[in-house]
Amino acid sequence: MDRFSVHFCDAIRDYLYFRERRYPAKSVLKLICDRYQLDAAERTMLFRGITLPETARTRLAKLCGTPAAGACFHVDYFNQCLIIVSYLSGNRVFISCDGVLRDASGFHGKKIPEHLFIRSVELIVQTLESFRPGGIIFYADSQISGAGRLASVATELFGHTSVSCHMLMTEKADEALASVAGGIICTADSAIIDRTGLPVFDLAKYVLEHTFNPVFSDLRNICAS
């Protein structure tokens, strides 16, 4: 179980206090993080993991359990893979107050360990294949450094699967996923979850829970305390 700084719970309490009164998120985040001198991971957890109670309830209501056979999956490729990479790297992953697993690693702009990325793709493809889906579409953001090379990891596996798999490279993966009309969305991106009217499957969380024996820090418990 992760250990947090002595003032992390106070930071969560104060952050929610100001957010519930509709103060701007980024301004409040800087104020609270500086006040309690939170480290980089805790700052990210506060930003990604804490949201207004009504928003958290709405997102939680969209989460679905193990999908039925024949479902079509729309996967936020880098979002889901990098959460697993974070776990495999020993970095902090956590359950947000909306029930979704997220990471605090901040790989954006940093070199992604490719051997772990390859492993994450293998785990995701194997897991999805076990559901006997009607089809799988991966949405890869082309603006991420090395996107084409990292996307090719999945396409190389497609020839060894028994289901229909496709990779869609796009400049705005979030918009493409939010506009999907049918099937199941696999993402931890809060903006996509808020916009979609489709069921959301926490694929990264499922993969980790059914492959390893993780003990995730749950911000819902920390907030409750």
Side-chain angles (χ1 to χ4, degrees), residues 2-3 7 21 30 32 52 57-58 72 79 82 86-87 114 116 120 131 153 192 197 206 210 219 222 225:
D2 291 328
R3 291 188 177 184
H7 292 300
R21 286 154 181 78
K30 186 178 187 311
I32 299 301
L52 296 173
R57 286 192 293 269
T58 299
C72 182
N79 173 275
L82 289 178
S86 292
Y87 177 84
E114 291 195 23
L116 296 182
S120 75
F131 296 144
V153 174
I192 298 172
Y206 184 96
H210 288 77
L219 294 188
I222 296 175
S225 65

Side-chain angles (χ1 to χ4, degrees), residues 37-57:
Q37 298 183 328
L38 301 186
D39 62 26
E42 290 178 342
R43 287 171 183 253
T44 302
M45 291 178 72
L46 203 62
F47 181 66
R48 292 184 181 175
I50 302 298
T51 190
L52 296 173
E54 59 267 30
T55 302
R57 286 192 293 269

Side-chain angles (χ1 to χ4, degrees), residues 183-198:
I184 296 174
I185 304 294
C186 299
T187 187
D189 188 309
S190 58
I192 298 172
I193 297 174
D194 288 343
R195 291 174 60 187
T196 186
L198 299 177

Side-chain angles (χ1 to χ4, degrees), residues 76 139-143 168-179 192 195:
D76 193 349
Y139 296 72
D141 196 325
S142 61
Q143 300 182 65
L168 176 63
M169 297 290 295
T170 173
E171 291 186 357
K172 297 182 178 179
D174 55 344
E175 292 189 6
L177 279 159
S179 63
I192 298 172
R195 291 174 60 187

